[in-house]
Amino acid sequence: MQNHIMLTATLRDLVGRKTDTLRQAGSVPCVVYGFGTQPANITIDRNAFGRVYTAAGSSTVVDLTVGDAVFQVLIGEIQRNPLNDFVTHVDFRSVDPNQKIEAKIRLELVGEAPAVKTLGGTLLQSLEDLEVKSLPNALVSHIDVDVTQLATFDDVIRVSDIVVPAGIEVMTDGENAVASVQAPRSEEELAALNEAVDMDVSKVEVTTEKKDEEVSSTETKKD
């Protein structure tokens, strides 16, 4: 078995609201399902999962140890507490290392675009993930996209320009834009934008005044 990032889990009996006690103790209730296993309720350490997710993301195989068994899994849906952003639940999908699967790989822009550095433009990322198909062990956590080739505002990096690791088949349309540089706004455009904002503000003020007048009129009638 190829060496992957490792994570240890334990089987759990607690379900439903009873799992809150696990979360309070720093653990995360999870589910593992897919190849070679029946859906099972498990628990992992929250801090350990944070380190694994930072390194693996959602597109790198993780060796998940549950008792005496080891499953090759991808990290699936993650639920978080909206107040403190703590992970509250994770789905792990067990995969067959000998069967190709579809996945999404995160795109990371690297380097400095000349159109930004010398022309004062703004770097835009139009596509954040690449849909791919490959054997699980060929997947990577992310793919770097070199933006140093964006020398003018007309230059565009498309999916077909991305160099992917061996064994990965790109499913996303090759014509889709990934990155480009937007020209800075001209003084005329900025002036028009400011004028539009001023007009919107004035409309709000007029509407507020009318509401105040209606309230005063109503109070007068009541008196």
Side-chain angles (χ1 to χ4, degrees):
M1 180 182 294
Q2 178 178 330
N3 291 329
H4 302 127
I5 300 170
M6 300 180 66
L7 183 62
T8 300
T10 56
L11 292 171
R12 63 179 168 91
D13 296 323
L14 295 178
V15 294
R17 293 185 177 180
K18 294 180 180 180
T19 56
D20 287 341
T21 58
L22 297 174
R23 298 184 181 94
Q24 292 170 2
S27 298
V28 181
C30 310
V31 173
V32 58
Y33 62 92
F35 175 75
T37 180
Q38 294 294 321
N41 295 322
I42 59 175
T43 302
I44 58 174
D45 179 78
R46 182 188 296 124
N47 292 332
F49 173 74
R51 293 189 292 270
V52 167
Y53 187 60
T54 297
S58 58
S59 60
T60 302
V61 173
V62 174
D63 284 343
L64 181 67
T65 300
V66 184
D68 296 330
V70 179
F71 301 99
Q72 292 190 19
V73 302
L74 293 178
I75 298 173
E77 181 182 1
I78 299 175
Q79 298 177 15
R80 295 180 182 273
N81 185 314
L83 298 179
N84 55 27
D85 202 38
F86 281 175
V87 175
T88 58
H89 191 276
V90 181
D91 287 353
F92 292 100
R93 177 165 65 105
S94 178
V95 295
D96 182 349
N98 299 313
Q99 292 292 327
K100 289 186 176 183
I101 60 173
E102 294 184 2
K104 289 185 178 181
I105 300 179
R106 176 168 45 88
L107 298 176
E108 286 192 1
L109 305 187
V110 297
E112 186 172 19
V116 173
K117 183 177 181 179
T118 61
L119 302 179
T122 301
L123 182 63
L124 302 177
Q125 183 169 357
S126 307
L127 191 67
E128 296 185 350
D129 300 294
L130 201 62
E131 295 182 359
V132 302
K133 185 175 183 179
S134 74
L135 291 175
N137 289 334
L139 292 171
V140 293
S141 61
H142 69 278
I143 294 176
D144 290 337
V145 179
D146 184 6
V147 299
T148 57
Q149 56 189 295
L150 297 176
T152 72
F153 301 135
D154 294 325
D155 293 331
V156 178
I157 298 176
R158 303 189 183 278
V159 169
S160 58
D161 300 319
I162 299 176
V163 178
V164 299
I168 293 180
E169 177 186 354
V170 177
M171 307 295 289
T172 305
D173 189 338
E175 289 300 309
N176 285 1
V178 175
S180 59
V181 177
Q182 183 182 56
R185 296 182 185 275
S186 64
E187 293 184 1
E188 291 78 8
E189 290 175 325
L190 290 175
L193 183 61
N194 290 333
E195 183 178 351
V197 171
D198 290 340
M199 290 178 63
D200 289 341
V201 171
S202 64
K203 288 180 180 179
V204 172
E205 291 176 347
V206 170
T207 302
T208 303
E209 289 176 358
K210 287 184 177 180
K211 287 184 178 180
D212 290 341
E213 290 175 0
E214 291 174 358
V215 171
S216 299
S217 176
T218 302
E219 290 177 350
T220 302
K221 289 180 180 179
K222 288 183 178 179
D223 293 342

